[in-house]
Amino acid sequence: MGDSRRKTPTSSLVSSRPRAAAFLQRLPSAPGFWRSPVRGVPFTALLGLVLLAGITLLFVTGLLSYAAYNPDLAPVNDKTPDKGLLGFYLFPWPTSPHWLYRLTQGLHVTLGIVLVPVLLAKLWSVVPRLFTLPPARSLAHALERISLLLLVGGALFEFVTGLLNIQLEYLFPGSFYPLHFYGAWVFFAAFLAHAGLRTPQAVRVLRSGGLNGPVAGDVLESPAPAPPTLSRRGALAMVGAGSLLLLVTSVGRSFDGPLRRLAVLTPRGAAEPGSGPNGFQINKTAAAVGITTADTGEGWWLTVSGPAGDLRFSREQLLAMEQHSAALPIACVEGWSTSDQWWRGVRLSDLAALAGYPDRPPGVLVESLQRSGPFRRAALRDNQVRDRRSLLALQVNGEDLSPDHGYPARIIVPAAPGVLNTKWVARLTFGEL
């Protein structure tokens, strides 16, 4: 006879259900898995509104930075091929005020750094939403989830690539310029869709109940929160303190003042690269790009081309021409910049006149002794050539250029990105570009 206490299939199924339920409660998709009392729609809504303003400004200043390179001027300037309608321009990049690019790019990079704690806090606050089940309740809900993945992935990609680039540790395959450019458009499209859906709700939540007010159907708030160790106001204060710390330790590399010595988190922040007239920040040294004294010594000539033909000038002949001075900064895409340095040399418009354009000089193609690199050749617009502060600089702050600052001659143009201020110039070709 069999054992009357033997479990039937039905009884085994019943006994396994509590274990299965307990297992499901330990998964991230379970409502009780996320127990922080800080999470909630009001907390997330406030962070979202901060990011709405900050990321919009980031996008606008990023587009301005892209326009400053004048990529539609000549193929040598365009580092984002096949951009199509994404490469629209409203105006040629101006030369005044002379600190324009220093301001816009400094703001872009500094704001990107400062927003990192806000972005991380926002992502932390919405983590429960990423694990909700079912993955899609309808087609509209599925599209919203996909846009959310694009938003989160795009935000992480843009911030990580930007931070790596400004820290000189860019590790992604391919050029930074097209990846960051196309990534920005994908991210911002998802950002606009998300903002359109969520911003009205965020405003209503903050108006109705404030930061700690109850919200009906708040899926972010835990049904069984853990004992609080920090209030929502305290959490926001921590996020703000983190952003303030990043601001203090990074903004000095982009703007003058005592904060420059505190910019310890950036490669070209706290320490000046030397003393004397040439003791200010540089991007690449002569040695790093293979420039030697054999390239810049007595055998160096500048070739100026135009309707008048090819003209060659030694450095001594350039120094014998009428010299002009201009106080201009150098501002880099990485966000760092110098204060105004006192440059002296020959006006580009005077060299254009020698090349055969005495009245209204056109643009110019500048070529460097540098043998490789994406900006060994660069094009400048006619308005940049015509500006009386645009120089083929031979000296800086009363002294000859150092090799690292472009000896024997370099371009310096107001409001232009640093890479367009070509160093170690070998040839200038004036004409329509």
Side-chain angles (χ1 to χ4, degrees):
M1 295 180 62
D3 186 352
S4 61
R5 293 173 297 176
R6 184 179 299 168
K7 293 182 179 179
T8 65
T10 302
S11 63
S12 297
L13 180 62
V14 172
S15 64
S16 66
R17 285 176 179 172
R19 292 196 298 270
F23 173 75
L24 291 175
Q25 290 302 314
R26 293 195 294 269
L27 293 178
S29 57
F33 181 86
W34 309 97
R35 301 189 61 202
S36 172
V38 174
R39 283 192 181 92
V41 169
F43 181 77
T44 300
L46 185 56
L47 294 172
L49 291 177
V50 173
L51 287 175
L52 175 64
I55 289 178
T56 301
L57 185 55
L58 271 183
F59 187 72
V60 171
T61 52
L63 283 182
L64 289 176
S65 175
Y66 184 72
Y69 283 73
N70 291 319
D72 63 333
L73 178 62
V76 296
N77 284 25
D78 192 354
K79 306 306 174 187
T80 52
D82 303 321
K83 59 188 178 295
L85 295 177
L86 299 181
F88 68 91
Y89 303 92
L90 299 178
F91 50 83
W93 189 252
T95 58
S96 291
H98 72 278
W99 39 259
L100 178 62
Y101 187 75
R102 186 184 187 198
L103 173 65
T104 59
Q105 189 61 13
L107 182 60
H108 179 75
V109 171
T110 302
L111 182 59
I113 295 173
V114 168
L115 285 179
V116 167
V118 184
L119 176 67
L120 293 178
K122 167 75 171 179
L123 294 178
W124 172 85
S125 73
V126 299
V127 161
R129 221 172 246 162
L130 300 178
F131 292 92
T132 55
L133 295 176
R137 295 188 298 270
S138 64
L139 178 60
H141 185 240
L143 293 176
E144 182 184 351
R145 296 296 294 272
I146 292 173
S147 70
L148 189 61
L149 289 176
L150 290 175
L151 178 69
V152 174
L156 292 175
F157 179 80
E158 286 298 291
F159 274 81
V160 169
T161 54
L163 290 172
L164 287 175
N165 186 63
I166 64 176
Q167 291 294 334
L168 311 180
E169 296 290 349
Y170 185 72
L171 305 175
F172 284 78
S175 171
F176 166 77
Y177 297 96
L179 288 178
H180 202 67
F181 176 78
Y182 293 126
W185 279 107
V186 172
F187 164 60
F188 198 68
F191 176 75
L192 284 180
H194 184 75
L197 291 171
R198 297 296 182 183
T199 299
Q201 178 191 14
V203 173
R204 286 196 303 270
V205 166
L206 293 176
R207 281 181 174 176
S208 61
L211 187 60
N212 295 310
V215 177
D218 188 346
V219 298
L220 296 178
E221 190 166 334
S222 174
T229 57
L230 186 69
S231 68
R232 286 176 180 170
R233 293 185 186 278
L236 288 173
M238 286 184 61
V239 173
S243 291
L244 180 60
L245 178 63
L246 291 176
L247 175 67
V248 171
T249 53
S250 62
V251 70
R253 74 184 199 147
S254 300
F255 304 99
D256 294 332
L259 288 178
R260 186 174 288 272
R261 293 187 177 183
L262 299 178
V264 295
L265 295 184
T266 56
R268 299 186 177 90
E272 298 288 350
S275 58
N278 279 274
F280 55 94
Q281 289 83 354
I282 58 173
N283 191 346
K284 293 181 179 179
T285 65
V289 297
I291 301 294
T292 66
T293 54
D295 301 310
T296 60
E298 294 182 358
W300 176 84
W301 293 84
L302 172 70
T303 301
V304 178
S305 298
D310 288 349
L311 308 175
R312 299 179 72 201
F313 301 97
S314 67
R315 194 169 192 278
E316 288 71 23
Q317 288 173 319
L318 292 170
L319 285 168
M321 297 180 184
E322 185 176 1
Q323 302 291 294
H324 299 273
S325 299
L328 300 172
I330 296 176
C332 184
V333 67
E334 296 158 4
W336 65 268
S337 62
T338 72
S339 56
D340 288 355
Q341 309 297 319
W342 195 255
W343 307 90
R344 189 164 178 81
V346 183
R347 282 177 177 156
L348 292 183
S349 57
D350 290 346
L351 292 172
L354 294 175
Y357 295 100
D359 297 324
R360 291 187 60 81
V364 61
L365 176 65
V366 184
E367 299 179 69
S368 172
L369 292 171
Q370 183 179 337
R371 295 172 181 82
S372 62
F375 291 101
R376 63 168 299 274
R377 302 168 73 233
L380 299 175
R381 285 190 180 276
D382 54 357
N383 66 313
Q384 293 173 312
V385 173
R386 292 168 190 168
D387 194 293
R388 297 173 69 83
R389 296 165 295 181
S390 297
L391 303 175
L392 178 74
L394 306 172
Q395 297 176 322
V396 63
N397 298 323
E399 186 176 279
D400 288 346
L401 297 169
S402 69
D404 289 342
H405 279 298
Y407 181 90
R410 70 169 298 161
I411 296 294
I412 189 72
V413 174
V419 290
L420 298 187
N421 292 311
T422 308
K423 297 191 286 187
W424 314 293
V425 176
R427 188 181 188 95
L428 300 175
T429 303
F430 291 91
E432 296 300 325
L433 300 172

